[in-house]
Each structure stands twice: as C-alpha cells, then as structure tokens.
C-alpha cells in the first residue's frame, strides 16, 4: 500500500489528477501493481473515492468499506488525501 500511495502521489503531482487504473503507474513508477497479501490479487482501487484497499483477513471484497463500518466489512482502506 505504501508503494502504491507513493506512485499515485507522483502520478498526481505530474498530471494533476489520479489515474483511472492502477496499471497506469506501471512501468513508470512501479514494475507491477503490488498484490494484496491476503488473496494474492492486485490491490483494489477507486479513483472516484480516492482510495486503495485490501480485502483483509475475511477475504471478502467489500468495495473499500473500512473495517468497523455499519456492514461489518473488513477491508483495509488507505485514503489518498493528496
């Protein structure tokens, strides 16, 4: 998540906006999209909501709903506040 956050910050700094897909930062900023340690899939991302997220230990993709939210989701969410 840290690598992605830095790559997205660099992208946004040069272009003034976030990319539509994480694959757009490859290969300029990263060799590949980092994978979620929980399920081995690429990290999830929403440019609209300005976040990247991991499915978390329950392995369910709750659409970037943070743990403890009303739906009792368990995604680990990293907000892009730049």
């Amino acid at each position: 998540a840290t690598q992605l956050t830095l790559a997205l910050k660099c992208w946004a700094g040069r272009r003034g906006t976030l990319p539509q897909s994480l694959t757009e930062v490859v290969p300029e900023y990263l060799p590949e999209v980092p994978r979620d340690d929980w399920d081995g899939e690429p990290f999830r991302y929403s440019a609209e909501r300005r976040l990247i997220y991991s499915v978390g230990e329950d392995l369910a993709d709750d659409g970037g709903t943070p743990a403890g939210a009303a739906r009792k989701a368990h995604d680990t969410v990293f907000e892009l506040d730049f």
Side-chain angles (χ1 to χ4, degrees):
T2 301
Q3 291 176 338
L4 275 175
T5 300
L6 292 172
L8 292 167
K9 187 167 185 153
C10 289
W11 173 281
R14 292 188 73 196
R15 293 168 178 84
T17 186
L18 288 171
Q20 290 303 303
S21 167
L22 291 178
T23 58
E24 292 182 56
V25 300
V26 176
E28 186 175 356
Y29 297 103
L30 294 171
E32 64 184 7
V33 176
R35 297 195 172 270
D36 185 333
D37 287 337
W38 291 104
D39 68 356
E41 296 297 320
F43 268 85
R44 280 70 170 182
Y45 170 68
S46 171
E48 281 181 12
R49 295 175 53 207
R50 302 183 68 86
L51 57 85
I52 55 176
Y53 67 97
S54 161
V55 296
E57 66 182 304
D58 69 352
L59 302 178
D61 185 346
D62 295 302
T65 303
R71 289 183 37 222
K72 296 185 180 179
H74 297 282
D75 290 346
T76 304
V77 178
F78 305 90
E79 295 181 11
L80 305 171
D81 60 356
F82 47 84

